[in-house]
Amino acid sequence: KKDDGNTDDGKSTKAKPIKELTAEEKKLIGEYERKSIDGVTYKFVFLENGVVEEYEDGKKGEEHNLLGKPLMWGISKNGELYIDTQSSSVWIYSINKDASITYIAHRMLGARKDWSKEEQETFKKIK
């Protein structure tokens, strides 16, 4: 067998190469926050590598990471921001002109449910 110089045996935990981000994706990178009616502060941090960190009152959230996989984000072909829980659900957000994002729908097991205006939640970009 010829040695191709590749010493990766497939068990490596090397980081996957980061894909080139679009201009729209670059604009989304950062921190977004909202306060609930009962005073709880929720925050998302969108990272360049496609991972989303979730915080509740400053504590890193783990409740949506049921399979030990990180939340992942992207932009769909129709321009909506999605957060994939990598289990059975996807959270769908509109990207607003003021750089905020609004939770507009949820997809569970492939079926989409759109939220009414009263149910929608907006996160303001803070960083």
Side-chain angles (χ1 to χ4, degrees):
K1 180 179 170 189
K2 185 177 174 189
D3 184 7
D4 63 2
N6 183 358
T7 58
D8 186 2
D9 60 3
K11 297 176 187 162
S12 171
T13 58
K14 289 181 193 170
K16 292 181 183 172
I18 298 172
K19 73 174 180 88
E20 187 64 34
L21 298 176
T22 66
E24 191 174 12
E25 288 171 327
K26 286 179 184 176
K27 285 187 218 170
L28 279 171
I29 293 171
E31 298 180 16
Y32 295 78
E33 200 172 77
R34 79 168 183 89
K35 246 195 205 317
S36 68
I37 294 169
D38 56 357
V40 177
T41 299
Y42 296 96
K43 181 167 78 171
F44 286 129
V45 180
F46 293 90
L47 303 175
E48 287 183 39
N49 64 358
V51 171
V52 181
E53 294 177 350
E54 181 183 27
Y55 296 86
E56 184 176 321
D57 278 339
K59 294 173 96 174
K60 196 164 185 180
E62 300 294 332
E63 68 275 7
H64 298 291
N65 195 354
L66 303 175
L67 302 175
K69 297 178 181 176
L71 298 174
M72 301 299 293
W73 71 274
I75 299 175
S76 67
K77 291 177 184 168
N78 63 354
E80 292 175 329
L81 167 66
Y82 64 86
I83 298 176
D84 187 346
T85 66
Q86 298 200 58
S87 56
S88 60
S89 66
V90 176
W91 307 328
I92 304 165
Y93 291 78
S94 64
I95 302 168
N96 306 315
K97 292 185 187 324
D98 67 355
S100 66
I101 57 172
T102 301
Y103 186 32
I104 59 167
H106 182 97
R107 192 169 63 235
M108 179 71 102
L109 301 172
R112 179 173 170 142
K113 178 188 182 327
D114 290 284
W115 302 125
S116 69
K117 289 281 185 202
E118 296 76 35
E119 295 173 301
Q120 294 178 5
E121 302 166 343
T122 298
F123 287 73
K124 301 282 184 199
K125 188 166 189 175
I126 59 170
K127 286 187 185 177

